[in-house]
Amino acid sequence: MNHYFPFVNTPLPYDYDALEPFIDEKTMFLHHNRHLQTYIDNLNSLMKENPPYQNWSLEKILYCWSGLPSDIRVSFKNNSGGIYNHRFFFEGMTDKAGLLPSVYFSRLINKNFGCFENFKKCFKKSALSVFGSGYVWLVHCRGKLMITQTANQDTPLDQGECPLLNLDVWEHAYYLKHYNVRAAYIDDWFHVINWDMAERRLQNLF
Ligand code: MN
């Protein structure tokens, strides 16, 4: 993974058609090769124009953007968030469809949400209620698992939360296959969640 300027669009960990029939090949291609690429190109341009920040990692920008000069602050935040959120989303899916949480992770889900079905219900409800463009997240915060939302390309890092999974609910993430039916897209996404990755992200905490 590439965390420093110049940023490059690293390949997905699976083929563009690997998430079929749940997420279609064309959506995955455009999402990775056009949408994510645009955030990468924009952040590289910003850094070219602002050499003092060229040694800032992606994570440093995401944690420290509010200290940047006011004329570039929002552009840095939005474009670095666009890279981080998309990479996080793509890596949080797997072509091993039907993967389930481990026994350890299932226990955590049950402890925090009652049962797996209830976790899915709460996550779906939250994902449906994101107004406009944004993400819904499973995060770890102060010893608990929680479902949160961010608008646009904001990240949960601003809230001091540790993200485990995210679902992109911008319309470009599902419109070609699911049209306006976000609920069907959410149901399909549940089939391709990379639970191993979510657990690895959790274990990096400790
Ligand atoms: Mn997106």
Side-chain angles (χ1 to χ4, degrees):
M1 194 48 71
N2 142 269
H3 297 267
Y4 284 92
F5 175 80
F7 293 93
V8 295
N9 199 1
T10 45
L12 294 177
Y14 41 75
D15 293 333
Y16 287 123
D17 65 357
L19 307 182
E20 295 268 11
F22 305 109
I23 315 273
D24 60 292
E25 178 179 6
K26 194 169 183 186
T27 296
M28 288 305 299
F29 173 75
L30 294 171
H31 208 168
H32 176 261
N33 198 58
R34 304 285 169 77
H35 290 276
L36 172 54
Q37 185 68 55
T38 301
Y39 290 112
I40 288 172
D41 293 345
N42 290 345
L43 187 60
N44 282 334
S45 301
L46 275 167
M47 285 199 153
K48 235 177 252 165
E49 292 157 14
N50 297 278
Y53 307 107
Q54 283 177 7
N55 63 348
W56 282 35
S57 68
L58 191 66
E59 288 71 18
K60 182 166 178 184
I61 301 167
L62 290 167
Y63 280 112
C64 304
W65 61 269
S66 61
L68 290 166
S70 57
D71 57 326
I72 55 171
R73 186 182 297 158
V74 174
S75 303
F76 263 89
K77 177 185 83 150
N78 286 342
N79 288 296
S80 55
I83 299 172
Y84 178 86
N85 289 341
H86 279 108
R87 286 177 171 177
F88 202 91
F89 173 59
F90 294 143
E91 287 164 12
M93 296 189 288
T94 174
D95 54 354
K96 294 184 206 109
L99 193 69
L100 288 169
S102 67
V103 172
Y104 166 74
F105 207 87
S106 294
R107 265 195 216 120
L108 275 181
I109 288 173
N110 294 345
K111 194 174 144 202
N112 287 272
F113 300 101
C115 64
F116 188 62
E117 280 311 306
N118 193 51
F119 157 75
K120 282 171 71 176
K121 200 173 123 191
C122 295
F123 197 96
K124 184 174 178 178
K125 191 175 167 198
S126 184
L128 285 171
S129 75
V130 174
F131 184 76
S133 296
Y135 293 79
V136 59
W137 301 79
L138 176 66
V139 301
H140 184 269
C141 189
R142 291 183 281 277
K144 282 186 179 166
L145 297 186
M146 298 189 310
I147 294 166
T148 61
Q149 300 179 357
T150 55
N152 302 312
Q153 295 298 357
D154 293 352
T155 77
L157 305 177
D158 285 333
Q159 311 302 323
E161 296 161 352
C162 171
L164 306 178
L165 284 174
N166 67 344
L167 175 61
D168 185 340
V169 293
W170 287 58
E171 280 190 344
H172 67 236
Y174 60 91
Y175 202 83
L176 292 180
K177 176 177 168 67
H178 301 90
Y179 305 114
N180 59 320
V181 189
R182 191 187 284 182
Y185 162 63
I186 300 164
D187 289 340
D188 274 343
W189 174 75
F190 281 122
H191 291 273
V192 292
I193 296 174
N194 189 339
W195 287 106
D196 290 345
M197 179 59 81
E199 188 170 334
R200 276 209 294 282
R201 287 162 173 167
L202 179 70
Q203 284 171 346
N204 283 339
L205 289 178
F206 304 112

